[in-house]
Amino acid sequence: MDQRLILVTLLIRLGVAAAISSVLVRARRFRVLLFREERTLGEKLEMAFIVSTPLALGVLVRWYVRNFYAADIAFEGSILMGVIGGRLVGLTGGAIVSLPSMFIAHEWLSLPLNMLAGVLAGTLRHLASEREAIWSFSPLFDLSMYQWVRRTIRRSFIDWQTSFFVLILGLEFLRIHLHRMWPRRLFALDSENWLVELAIYVGTVMAVAIALKVLNNVRIEMKLEQQERLLLQARMAALQSQINPHFLFNTLNSVASLIRRDPDSAREMIVKLGNILRRLLRKGDAFVPLKEEIESLDDYLDIEVIRFGRDKLRVHKELEADSLAHLVPSMILQPLVENAIKHGLAEKLEGGTIYLRSRCTAQRVIVEVEDDGVGMAASAGSIGTGIGMLNVQERLQVVYGDAAEINIESQPGSGTLVRLMLPIFQAEEMGGSVAGAIYEARSSTSR
């Protein structure tokens, strides 16, 4: 084979390794499998099939496209599958990528060689003292013999980087010499020029290292996403723990004021409070259907009706049926209603009415809490800076970013309207966990 063609092939092969790795990480299922450290038997086989498919296609391209040897990185891919997935993935993937070369080109030695490469790489992965060490591989490791000896004596073993580097070189050495013995039974780049042969060894190491680096970058990105999920979960938990004692404190004050003058009403109020607390303890979801949020709000409103009197506090609902199935952050309406009663109706001698409305547009669910109380003039400073309203605003920012809006309209003597405009999400988009729900909501709105 022409020496210049070999060198050009080695350069293109690096690009092929990077391109195939980049294509693989765009598949959501592969990203999930890649991120998992422990996989079931089915997941291992699935991973081997996903990775080996484009590698096997590369073998076909090498056979049918004249002089395009760079497309075939089945050998390097077998090593890669072993190191990222383990022995079974390497063994299975090495067998799959060898099928085209065996049955089309009759290169029978490709099967045992690729399977051996996958198993040995998987075994080395298993022997690694730290699983994260496999992702830090680079051919540009420290070649200082003195430091290598010190490191080996101190740790009592040869470090993983050196072992993997030697393994790749050893497997490439085996492949080249098998090719020289049976050139028609195994494909390999080979040259009588020692500099070109050295470049072949370096090219094999670099192809594996580049592919591993691309996959590791995706793993790092997924780890950062996971950390963001956990951070958002912690922030939501902190905000939820803030609003619950705030609500409980105000309700217990109402119960205390009724115990002497109206024990029956106080007893009924405690029952309603128990229903609310039972619901909060039973479910820790970040999102609930609007219908469930309204049902929870009903218990709170019943408590306030008992406190103010049925002739002083009235509740009027205008809820579109289609809007009730959409998800909203849990306990998002109670602070708004509490604000309306405390700052709008409590100072109005004749009492007033709370209006709850909901409707849907093409991309949003709109929820309104309105009162016909005194308006903003009497408490302009507290309506937007109280604990309840600040909590609502911060929770919306955490969950939706800039995709959600909260508008406040008020006229002195005419009441206040608070309008929430929330993006529409379905239950399946939210996933099962609080962290996943929050993160998926924010990711969807950013897209």
Side-chain angles (χ1 to χ4, degrees), residues 401-412:
D402 296 331
E405 296 182 29
I406 177 170
N407 296 330
I408 302 176
E409 302 175 4
S410 183
Q411 294 291 333

Side-chain angles (χ1 to χ4, degrees), residues 210-224:
I210 287 175
L212 199 58
K213 188 66 67 176
V214 172
L215 299 182
N216 187 38
N217 288 340
V218 174
R219 286 183 70 257
I220 293 174
E221 178 184 333
M222 295 179 70
K223 281 192 173 184
L224 292 176

Side-chain angles (χ1 to χ4, degrees), residues 379-394:
S379 53
S382 59
I383 192 72
T385 59
I387 293 177
M389 285 299 296
L390 288 178
N391 184 281
V392 169
Q393 293 171 9
E394 186 171 355

Side-chain angles (χ1 to χ4, degrees), residues 406-426:
I406 177 170
N407 296 330
I408 302 176
E409 302 175 4
S410 183
Q411 294 291 333
S414 299
T416 301
L417 168 66
V418 180
R419 181 182 297 110
L420 298 181
M421 292 177 283
L422 311 176
I424 290 179
F425 298 108
Q426 301 300 326

Side-chain angles (χ1 to χ4, degrees), residues 69-343:
Y69 304 116
D72 187 350
I73 58 169
F75 173 72
E76 293 83 351
S78 299
I79 298 175
L80 181 68
M81 284 186 282
V83 79
I84 67 173
R87 286 167 289 193
L88 180 59
V89 176
L91 181 70
T92 306
I96 295 175
V97 298
S98 304
L99 296 179
S101 58
M102 286 181 57
F103 293 106
I104 296 178
H106 305 296
E107 297 167 349
W108 305 110
L109 290 177
S110 62
L111 178 65
L113 179 63
N114 289 336
M115 293 177 66
L116 176 65
V119 169
L120 290 180
T123 301
L124 195 59
R125 165 193 168 91
H126 178 72
L127 294 176
S129 59
E130 298 179 3
R131 190 56 53 85
E132 286 297 318
I134 68 175
W135 299 103
S136 62
F137 174 71
S138 171
L140 305 177
F141 65 95
D142 188 1
L143 293 175
S144 170
M145 184 58 67
Y146 170 73
Q147 292 191 14
W148 179 82
V149 171
R150 284 191 59 189
R151 186 166 59 245
T152 302
I153 295 175
R154 184 172 62 252
R155 299 182 181 178
S156 299
F157 63 89
I158 300 176
D159 68 1
W160 194 89
Q161 286 232 15
T162 307
S163 303
F164 192 44
F165 185 82
V166 172
L167 175 65
I168 298 174
L169 294 181
L171 288 170
E172 182 60 39
F173 177 84
L174 177 62
R175 179 166 74 147
I176 290 176
H177 282 75
L178 288 175
H179 170 75
R180 290 175 180 175
M181 297 172 62
W182 296 284
R184 294 187 178 182
R185 295 294 176 257
L186 181 65
F187 167 75
L189 296 177
D190 192 13
S191 173
E192 296 179 356
N193 187 315
W194 71 272
L195 288 175
V196 177
E197 185 175 354
L198 178 62
I200 293 174
Y201 283 97
V202 173
T204 301
V205 175
M206 291 295 295
V208 175
I210 287 175
L212 199 58
K213 188 66 67 176
V214 172
L215 299 182
N216 187 38
N217 288 340
V218 174
R219 286 183 70 257
I220 293 174
E221 178 184 333
M222 295 179 70
K223 281 192 173 184
L224 292 176
E225 291 177 356
Q226 183 186 54
Q227 294 300 318
E228 185 175 356
R229 290 189 184 99
L230 295 176
L231 176 60
L232 290 172
Q233 180 182 14
R235 290 186 63 187
M236 284 295 293
L239 291 169
Q240 189 73 21
S241 65
Q242 179 191 62
I243 197 64
N244 291 344
H246 179 253
F247 154 72
L248 182 61
F249 174 78
N250 291 338
T251 304
L252 289 178
N253 279 342
S254 299
V255 172
S257 67
L258 288 174
I259 286 179
R260 291 186 178 181
R261 60 183 176 86
D262 194 350
D264 291 337
S265 295
R267 188 180 301 109
E268 184 179 353
M269 186 179 291
I270 292 175
V271 171
K272 297 291 184 181
L273 178 60
N275 292 338
I276 296 174
L277 296 179
R278 189 178 299 111
R279 186 178 290 108
L280 291 175
L281 291 174
R282 187 177 67 250
K283 296 199 67 176
D285 295 341
F287 295 87
V288 295
L290 179 58
K291 179 181 179 181
E292 186 173 327
E293 180 72 4
I294 295 295
E295 291 174 353
S296 177
L297 191 60
D298 286 341
D299 286 325
Y300 172 76
L301 286 170
D302 288 342
I303 291 175
E304 294 301 319
V305 168
I306 294 172
R307 176 186 171 192
F308 285 91
R310 299 188 183 280
D311 58 331
K312 291 292 187 69
L313 179 59
R314 297 168 294 277
V315 180
H316 183 71
K317 300 178 183 177
E318 300 175 9
L319 308 174
E320 287 187 1
D322 293 342
S323 66
L324 297 179
H326 292 297
L327 298 175
V328 298
S330 61
M331 288 291 288
I332 200 70
L333 298 182
Q334 185 270 334
L336 303 182
V337 173
E338 182 180 356
N339 234 31
I341 295 173
K342 180 179 179 180
H343 300 295

Side-chain angles (χ1 to χ4, degrees), residues 320 322-323 326-328 359-367 400 402-405 420-426 429-430 441 444-447:
E320 287 187 1
D322 293 342
S323 66
H326 292 297
L327 298 175
V328 298
R359 63 183 185 276
C360 290
T361 62
Q363 297 180 340
R364 289 186 172 187
V365 56
I366 300 175
V367 183
Y400 299 107
D402 296 331
E405 296 182 29
L420 298 181
M421 292 177 283
L422 311 176
I424 290 179
F425 298 108
Q426 301 300 326
E429 294 179 307
M430 292 303 183
S444 299
T445 55
S446 64
R447 289 193 295 266

